[in-house]
Amino acid sequence: DAAVFQVNTQHDNEETCGEVFSVILRCMDEFGNDVSSYVHVHHLTWTWTAVTSPNGVMPDRPLNGNADFEYGVATIPGFRLTNATQTPTISATDGNVRGTSTAMKIKPNKAVFFDIAVPSPVTVNRPFNISKIVAKDTFGNVALSYSGDKILLYSGPATDTVNGNPGYTYA
């Protein structure tokens, strides 16, 4: 008899922020054997520990509803995570049959903007140093794959009020 769901994601519980993925449910008996007779449509209820991204983007999951099982397995698309600083789990329930994934590893997506830290306040016509530049993905996660030497181009004021030229240097 069906006792538990084995819950895994499309990429073995290692997903990337913002990329839609599927969850694979495998019905097992109390001894960990596949229950291939678990077939047809079953109503699933989802819960998970996913949280919003650092910049407030909500994660997505399918609504509770029907899933079609073939030989004890169902693949459900439509999940998307947005926070790479967490290790969420996904749980599925169909009556007395339940299962929870292991803690997932969530990778940030590619860098799309910089978070630039400058001192505050700054004084007009006084030099200041940029103290930190952090590459981030769409969701505000630190883009870990963005590394190495980079060339930064400054676009600042067209002219200053003293001598008509922007005053900046970089190394």
Side-chain angles (χ1 to χ4, degrees):
D1 287 344
V4 67
F5 288 128
Q6 180 186 60
V7 182
N8 287 304
T9 68
Q10 180 176 347
H11 301 104
D12 294 322
N13 295 339
E14 188 171 313
E15 300 299 332
T16 300
C17 283
E19 294 182 6
V20 177
F21 63 93
S22 296
V23 168
I24 298 99
L25 299 179
R26 180 176 301 279
C27 189
M28 316 280 283
D29 67 15
E30 62 184 302
F31 304 107
N33 301 305
D34 289 342
V35 179
S36 60
S37 61
Y38 197 81
V39 294
H40 305 298
V41 174
H42 292 268
H43 184 81
L44 297 175
T45 303
W46 298 102
T47 57
W48 65 353
T49 60
V51 297
T52 60
S53 72
N55 64 5
V57 179
M58 295 289 296
D60 297 317
R61 67 174 175 80
L63 297 174
N64 296 335
N66 294 332
D68 193 15
F69 282 79
E70 291 184 21
Y71 303 105
V73 178
T75 301
I76 298 89
F79 292 83
R80 181 180 74 121
L81 296 166
T82 59
N83 191 321
T85 64
Q86 67 168 154
T87 54
T89 58
I90 297 175
S91 299
T93 303
D94 174 29
N96 292 328
V97 182
R98 296 182 175 96
T100 300
S101 71
T102 59
M104 293 186 289
K105 179 181 179 186
I106 311 305
K107 300 178 290 189
N109 212 312
K110 65 184 177 190
V112 295
F113 72 92
F114 294 113
D115 187 2
I116 301 174
V118 296
S120 180
V122 293
T123 304
V124 174
N125 292 326
R126 297 278 188 225
F128 66 89
N129 291 319
I130 296 173
S131 59
K132 181 172 58 170
I133 300 174
V134 179
K136 295 195 173 181
D137 71 7
T138 301
F139 310 101
N141 299 294
V142 175
L144 302 176
S145 63
Y146 195 84
S147 61
D149 292 339
K150 307 295 182 198
I151 295 173
L152 299 176
L153 300 175
Y154 172 81
S155 66
T159 59
D160 67 23
T161 57
V162 176
N163 60 18
N165 296 313
Y168 62 89
T169 59
Y170 60 93

